[in-house]
Amino acid sequence: MAEQILSFKEMCARFDVTPRTLRYYEYIELLEPRKDGRSRLYGPREIARMTLILRGRRFGFSLEDIRQWLLLYDAKGTREQYQVWIGMADRQLKELERQRDELDAAIRDLRRLRDETEATLQSQP
């Protein structure tokens, strides 16, 4: 099976990111495409890294957290990377749960205020 190679435009389309985003990820060294003249070519490593970057962003990790985590693989290997990932995931889960609690409280408060306002409006002649 041939190695999958994507152009800059194909990479943007596949991951639904803007060219600016993709260039920024390269600038901060999250991605290192192969260069062929002015063209950028993304192989399996960069495709996998992009998948991990976007997944990390979805979970609320900072780009620096993601960059440091990706660097671990090259420096220390999979086992160390997995161990660090577990710690990062535990911290992020606590943060997401805290944010969910804040949202739940805001929803309750807004619903209560809305209901009170509706009751006031209905009691007026």
Side-chain angles (χ1 to χ4, degrees), residues 53-113:
I53 291 164
L54 295 179
R55 187 177 294 158
R57 296 298 291 152
R58 179 175 167 254
F59 295 145
F61 291 106
S62 72
L63 288 175
E64 181 59 21
D65 286 341
I66 295 166
R67 192 178 75 74
Q68 292 296 323
W69 182 74
L70 289 172
L71 286 173
L72 272 177
Y73 179 78
D74 293 330
K76 300 200 177 191
T78 303
R79 184 169 181 75
E80 178 82 14
Q81 190 184 41
Y82 285 172
Q83 289 172 333
V84 169
W85 165 249
I86 291 168
M88 289 173 63
D90 287 344
R91 283 190 301 278
Q92 192 61 17
L93 283 166
K94 286 179 186 172
E95 175 60 18
L96 290 172
E97 288 166 351
R98 184 194 64 75
Q99 290 174 5
R100 182 184 58 201
D101 292 345
E102 286 180 8
L103 280 172
D104 288 344
I107 289 168
R108 279 191 308 272
D109 290 347
L110 180 57
R111 185 168 282 129
R112 181 188 48 77
L113 182 57

XYZ file of all heavy atoms in Angstrom, residues 53-113:
527
model
N -3.560 16.753 17.320
C -3.651 18.190 17.644
C -5.110 18.614 17.741
O -5.528 19.242 18.725
C -2.921 19.033 16.581
C -1.414 18.804 16.655
C -3.252 20.518 16.734
C -0.651 19.279 15.422
N -5.890 18.251 16.745
C -7.298 18.670 16.738
C -8.092 17.988 17.846
O -8.982 18.596 18.438
C -7.916 18.414 15.365
C -7.319 19.255 14.234
C -7.968 18.916 12.906
C -7.412 20.740 14.530
N -7.766 16.756 18.134
C -8.421 16.064 19.247
C -8.071 16.761 20.559
O -8.941 17.006 21.406
C -7.982 14.602 19.285
C -8.750 13.782 20.300
C -8.335 12.339 20.267
N -8.708 11.739 18.989
C -8.135 10.650 18.500
N -7.170 10.047 19.138
N -8.546 10.149 17.354
N -6.803 17.103 20.725
C -6.383 17.818 21.937
C -7.076 19.157 22.074
O -7.519 19.541 23.157
N -7.196 19.890 20.972
C -7.897 21.176 21.012
C -9.360 20.984 21.399
O -9.910 21.764 22.166
C -7.798 21.897 19.657
C -6.388 22.286 19.261
C -5.738 23.254 20.229
N -6.384 24.546 20.146
C -6.450 25.415 21.145
N -5.910 25.142 22.310
N -7.056 26.561 20.990
N -9.971 19.945 20.851
C -11.379 19.664 21.171
C -11.568 19.426 22.671
O -12.571 19.805 23.257
C -11.847 18.450 20.375
C -13.279 18.070 20.657
C -13.748 16.930 19.762
N -14.977 16.411 20.275
C -15.101 15.251 20.905
N -14.068 14.460 21.060
N -16.258 14.859 21.364
N -10.577 18.802 23.287
C -10.650 18.513 24.713
C -10.216 19.703 25.566
O -10.256 19.644 26.789
C -9.788 17.305 25.069
C -10.274 16.018 24.447
C -9.368 15.058 24.032
C -11.621 15.746 24.292
C -9.797 13.857 23.470
C -12.063 14.558 23.732
C -11.138 13.613 23.318
N -9.798 20.786 24.923
C -9.465 22.007 25.660
C -8.003 22.170 26.029
O -7.659 23.065 26.794
N -7.122 21.342 25.495
C -5.705 21.482 25.798
C -5.127 22.666 25.028
O -5.541 22.952 23.904
C -4.931 20.215 25.416
C -5.248 19.033 26.286
C -6.036 18.004 25.800
C -4.772 18.959 27.576
C -6.341 16.912 26.595
C -5.067 17.869 28.378
C -5.856 16.843 27.891
N -4.159 23.326 25.624
C -3.485 24.424 24.939
C -2.556 23.847 23.867
O -2.137 22.683 23.942
C -2.665 25.251 25.936
O -1.523 24.510 26.353
N -2.228 24.667 22.897
C -1.300 24.221 21.857
C 0.066 23.903 22.452
O 0.744 22.974 22.001
C -1.183 25.271 20.757
C -2.400 25.401 19.853
C -2.219 26.567 18.881
C -2.669 24.116 19.091
N 0.469 24.641 23.467
C 1.761 24.352 24.102
C 1.733 23.008 24.817
O 2.694 22.245 24.748
C 2.157 25.475 25.065
C 3.505 25.247 25.742
C 4.680 25.095 24.769
O 4.605 25.535 23.607
O 5.696 24.514 25.187
N 0.632 22.693 25.503
C 0.500 21.363 26.126
C 0.620 20.264 25.067
O 1.307 19.266 25.266
C -0.843 21.213 26.836
C -0.933 21.985 28.130
O 0.114 22.363 28.694
O -2.070 22.218 28.587
N -0.061 20.468 23.955
C -0.041 19.478 22.878
C 1.366 19.350 22.305
O 1.864 18.246 22.083
C -1.058 19.860 21.782
C -2.485 19.789 22.337
C -0.905 18.962 20.556
C -3.532 20.450 21.459
N 2.025 20.476 22.093
C 3.385 20.461 21.542
C 4.341 19.709 22.456
O 5.105 18.854 22.013
C 3.883 21.891 21.315
C 5.159 21.976 20.495
C 5.570 23.420 20.269
N 6.147 24.013 21.454
C 7.364 23.737 21.908
N 8.128 22.898 21.282
N 7.817 24.321 22.990
N 4.272 20.000 23.746
C 5.144 19.317 24.713
C 4.870 17.819 24.733
O 5.790 17.001 24.801
C 4.967 19.912 26.119
C 5.476 21.317 26.258
C 6.976 21.416 26.046
O 7.726 20.539 26.438
N 7.408 22.489 25.411
N 3.596 17.462 24.669
C 3.228 16.040 24.688
C 3.743 15.340 23.439
O 4.269 14.230 23.506
C 1.709 15.905 24.824
C 1.268 14.495 24.887
C 1.408 13.638 25.945
C 0.627 13.754 23.854
N 0.883 12.410 25.617
C 0.402 12.458 24.348
C 0.210 14.064 22.564
C -0.221 11.471 23.584
C -0.403 13.083 21.813
C -0.615 11.807 22.328
N 3.614 15.981 22.279
C 4.105 15.378 21.043
C 5.629 15.244 21.056
O 6.174 14.273 20.535
C 3.656 16.204 19.832
C 2.166 16.136 19.500
C 1.820 17.141 18.417
C 1.744 14.739 19.098
N 6.324 16.194 21.650
C 7.784 16.113 21.746
C 8.243 14.919 22.573
O 9.319 14.374 22.342
C 8.352 17.404 22.344
C 8.361 18.623 21.430
C 8.776 19.865 22.206
C 9.275 18.403 20.240
N 7.433 14.513 23.526
C 7.782 13.367 24.383
C 7.992 12.097 23.580
O 8.851 11.287 23.906
C 6.684 13.103 25.412
C 6.775 13.855 26.709
C 5.566 13.537 27.569
C 8.040 13.543 27.438
N 7.201 11.914 22.556
C 7.305 10.693 21.756
C 8.699 10.568 21.161
O 9.336 9.519 21.245
C 6.248 10.664 20.661
C 6.347 9.434 19.795
C 5.854 8.216 20.241
C 6.946 9.479 18.546
C 5.955 7.072 19.467
C 7.052 8.349 17.761
C 6.555 7.152 18.227
O 6.664 6.024 17.459
N 9.188 11.656 20.571
C 10.522 11.637 19.970
C 11.613 11.504 21.028
O 12.613 10.833 20.804
C 10.753 12.903 19.144
C 9.850 12.971 17.920
O 9.490 11.895 17.395
O 9.505 14.085 17.507
N 11.418 12.141 22.170
C 12.455 12.163 23.195
C 12.478 10.911 24.065
O 13.546 10.414 24.419
C 12.282 13.394 24.077
N 11.301 10.402 24.428
C 11.262 9.326 25.423
C 10.447 8.116 25.015
O 10.418 7.129 25.729
C 10.743 9.874 26.743
C 11.621 10.991 27.270
C 11.439 11.222 28.724
C 12.411 12.305 29.157
N 12.502 12.424 30.566
N 9.724 8.185 23.938
C 8.984 7.025 23.465
C 7.543 6.976 23.924
O 7.053 7.837 24.650
N 6.893 5.923 23.497
C 5.452 5.772 23.682
C 5.050 5.643 25.147
O 4.093 6.271 25.593
C 4.965 4.540 22.905
O 5.332 4.701 21.534
C 3.462 4.389 23.003
N 5.749 4.822 25.905
C 5.358 4.574 27.305
C 5.327 5.873 28.115
O 4.359 6.160 28.804
C 6.282 3.555 27.948
C 5.873 3.179 29.350
C 6.654 1.966 29.848
N 6.261 1.593 31.177
C 5.144 0.969 31.512
N 4.288 0.631 30.575
N 4.871 0.664 32.755
N 6.387 6.648 28.027
C 6.449 7.929 28.740
C 5.345 8.867 28.256
O 4.688 9.545 29.041
C 7.819 8.576 28.521
C 7.968 9.929 29.166
C 8.304 9.853 30.642
O 8.683 8.789 31.131
O 8.159 10.893 31.311
N 5.119 8.878 26.944
C 4.078 9.733 26.378
C 2.715 9.327 26.930
O 1.904 10.185 27.290
C 4.111 9.639 24.855
C 3.240 10.671 24.177
C 3.216 10.497 22.668
O 3.159 9.376 22.178
N 3.252 11.596 21.942
N 2.448 8.043 27.004
C 1.173 7.569 27.546
C 1.012 7.946 29.016
O -0.067 8.348 29.451
C 1.048 6.055 27.403
C 0.757 5.553 26.008
C 0.780 4.192 25.742
C 0.457 6.410 24.953
C 0.509 3.706 24.462
C 0.197 5.932 23.684
C 0.224 4.580 23.444
O -0.039 4.100 22.197
N 2.084 7.821 29.790
C 2.001 8.163 31.210
C 1.696 9.652 31.401
O 0.861 10.020 32.223
C 3.304 7.783 31.925
C 3.481 6.289 32.059
C 4.849 5.897 32.592
O 5.823 6.615 32.426
N 4.914 4.736 33.225
N 2.356 10.478 30.623
C 2.099 11.920 30.704
C 0.675 12.217 30.257
O -0.021 13.035 30.850
C 3.139 12.704 29.869
C 2.738 14.160 29.705
C 4.509 12.594 30.511
N 0.230 11.523 29.205
C -1.130 11.722 28.698
C -2.170 11.452 29.781
O -3.138 12.201 29.923
C -1.380 10.846 27.475
C -2.826 10.743 27.124
C -3.618 9.653 27.226
C -3.681 11.793 26.656
N -4.903 9.960 26.841
C -4.969 11.260 26.492
C -3.466 13.140 26.364
C -6.036 12.027 26.043
C -4.539 13.898 25.923
C -5.810 13.337 25.756
N -1.981 10.415 30.542
C -2.942 10.085 31.602
C -3.033 11.231 32.604
O -4.135 11.646 32.994
C -2.568 8.752 32.289
C -2.793 7.593 31.307
C -3.367 8.545 33.570
C -2.185 6.270 31.765
N -1.899 11.779 32.999
C -1.907 12.916 33.927
C -2.574 14.139 33.327
O -3.365 14.826 33.996
N -2.269 14.415 32.063
C -2.902 15.553 31.381
C -4.413 15.353 31.293
O -5.181 16.289 31.524
C -2.323 15.704 29.963
C -0.904 16.206 29.898
S -0.220 16.170 28.210
C -1.284 17.325 27.352
N -4.823 14.143 30.943
C -6.255 13.844 30.808
C -6.957 14.006 32.150
O -8.054 14.569 32.208
C -6.455 12.441 30.249
N -6.346 13.520 33.226
C -6.954 13.656 34.552
C -7.157 15.124 34.922
O -8.223 15.513 35.399
C -6.091 12.968 35.617
C -6.154 11.455 35.552
O -7.073 10.902 34.898
O -5.272 10.798 36.149
N -6.134 15.940 34.677
C -6.252 17.381 34.984
C -7.332 18.038 34.126
O -8.129 18.830 34.613
C -4.911 18.082 34.769
C -3.913 17.846 35.883
C -2.688 18.745 35.759
N -1.973 18.570 34.498
C -1.087 17.606 34.250
N -0.816 16.714 35.180
N -0.472 17.538 33.079
N -7.364 17.690 32.847
C -8.343 18.314 31.957
C -9.760 17.863 32.272
O -10.701 18.648 32.175
C -7.994 18.051 30.484
C -8.783 18.877 29.514
C -8.573 20.382 29.676
O -7.613 20.839 30.301
N -9.481 21.157 29.125
N -9.914 16.610 32.657
C -11.240 16.131 33.053
C -11.760 16.923 34.251
O -12.939 17.311 34.278
C -11.198 14.633 33.392
C -11.155 13.710 32.181
C -10.778 12.292 32.623
C -12.480 13.715 31.450
N -10.901 17.188 35.228
C -11.311 17.992 36.386
C -11.717 19.395 35.956
O -12.714 19.935 36.433
C -10.189 18.053 37.420
C -10.013 16.774 38.182
C -8.873 16.870 39.175
C -8.645 15.509 39.822
N -7.439 15.485 40.638
N -10.948 19.987 35.027
C -11.264 21.331 34.550
C -12.582 21.345 33.784
O -13.415 22.233 33.973
C -10.125 21.865 33.672
C -10.407 23.202 33.034
C -10.683 24.340 34.017
O -10.339 24.224 35.213
O -11.258 25.355 33.577
N -12.795 20.372 32.922
C -14.049 20.303 32.168
C -15.241 20.081 33.093
O -16.305 20.668 32.884
C -13.978 19.204 31.109
C -13.035 19.467 29.933
C -12.915 18.223 29.052
C -13.482 20.665 29.121
N -15.065 19.267 34.116
C -16.146 19.048 35.084
C -16.449 20.330 35.850
O -17.619 20.655 36.104
C -15.782 17.904 36.022
C -15.830 16.549 35.332
C -15.171 15.417 36.106
O -14.504 15.681 37.135
O -15.304 14.270 35.655
N -15.400 21.100 36.200
C -15.605 22.384 36.876
C -16.374 23.331 35.959
O -17.326 23.995 36.387
C -14.250 23.001 37.254
C -14.377 24.304 38.044
C -13.072 25.065 38.118
N -12.593 25.516 36.821
C -13.101 26.545 36.136
N -14.125 27.223 36.609
N -12.608 26.888 34.957
N -15.999 23.394 34.685
C -16.695 24.256 33.737
C -18.148 23.825 33.547
O -19.043 24.669 33.453
C -15.975 24.249 32.386
C -14.641 24.949 32.411
C -13.888 24.802 31.093
O -14.395 24.261 30.120
N -12.659 25.303 31.072
N -18.372 22.511 33.522
C -19.741 22.013 33.390
C -20.573 22.430 34.598
O -21.722 22.859 34.454
C -19.749 20.490 33.242
C -21.166 19.941 33.063
C -21.205 18.445 33.007
N -20.624 17.903 34.223
C -20.143 16.673 34.335
N -20.169 15.858 33.318
N -19.638 16.254 35.473
N -19.997 22.345 35.792
C -20.714 22.765 36.998
C -21.075 24.248 36.931
O -22.189 24.643 37.301
C -19.883 22.476 38.253
C -19.732 20.986 38.528
O -20.491 20.166 37.947
O -18.830 20.629 39.325
N -20.150 25.071 36.437
C -20.429 26.501 36.287
C -21.541 26.732 35.275
O -22.418 27.570 35.493
C -19.169 27.253 35.853
C -18.155 27.429 36.962
C -16.914 28.190 36.497
O -16.905 28.715 35.361
O -15.964 28.258 37.290
N -21.514 26.011 34.175
C -22.567 26.139 33.166
C -23.914 25.687 33.719
O -24.940 26.339 33.482
C -22.231 25.315 31.921
C -21.258 25.940 30.944
C -20.867 24.937 29.863
C -21.844 27.186 30.317
N -23.929 24.585 34.441
C -25.176 24.107 35.045
C -25.754 25.154 35.988
O -26.964 25.410 35.976
C -24.951 22.787 35.791
C -24.736 21.600 34.866
O -25.044 21.700 33.659
O -24.239 20.559 35.362
N -24.897 25.793 36.781
C -25.358 26.837 37.704
C -25.900 28.040 36.936
O -26.941 28.597 37.287
C -24.226 27.258 38.640
N -25.210 28.437 35.879
C -25.670 29.573 35.076
C -27.005 29.255 34.410
O -27.908 30.113 34.364
C -24.619 29.933 34.023
N -27.172 28.050 33.916
C -28.438 27.638 33.295
C -29.567 27.670 34.319
O -30.658 28.177 34.040
C -28.305 26.245 32.641
C -27.421 26.337 31.396
C -29.676 25.658 32.305
C -26.982 24.985 30.850
N -29.305 27.152 35.522
C -30.334 27.178 36.574
C -30.730 28.609 36.914
O -31.908 28.934 37.021
C -29.822 26.460 37.830
C -29.927 24.974 37.809
C -29.665 24.346 39.183
N -28.409 24.798 39.786
C -27.209 24.217 39.589
N -27.114 23.168 38.790
N -26.133 24.680 40.176
N -29.731 29.483 37.072
C -30.003 30.876 37.425
C -30.778 31.586 36.318
O -31.731 32.320 36.592
C -28.697 31.629 37.701
C -28.016 31.181 38.984
O -28.660 30.469 39.794
O -26.836 31.536 39.174
N -30.377 31.383 35.090
C -31.060 32.022 33.967
C -32.487 31.502 33.838
O -33.429 32.283 33.616
C -30.288 31.787 32.662
C -30.895 32.397 31.394
C -31.081 33.912 31.542
C -30.032 32.066 30.188
N -32.676 30.212 33.996
C -34.021 29.628 33.906
C -34.916 30.187 35.025
O -36.072 30.553 34.779
C -33.928 28.100 34.000
C -35.274 27.417 33.793
C -35.139 25.913 33.599
N -34.701 25.669 32.231
C -33.669 24.903 31.882
N -32.983 24.273 32.790
N -33.338 24.744 30.621
N -34.377 30.276 36.240
C -35.139 30.828 37.364
C -35.531 32.272 37.098
O -36.692 32.662 37.267
C -34.325 30.724 38.660
C -35.044 31.255 39.903
C -34.136 31.303 41.124
N -32.843 31.919 40.885
C -32.621 33.240 40.790
N -33.615 34.093 40.898
N -31.405 33.703 40.591
N -34.581 33.090 36.632
C -34.852 34.492 36.349
C -35.863 34.632 35.217
O -36.785 35.450 35.286
C -33.552 35.218 35.986
C -33.676 36.711 35.716
C -34.278 37.447 36.910
C -32.317 37.281 35.355
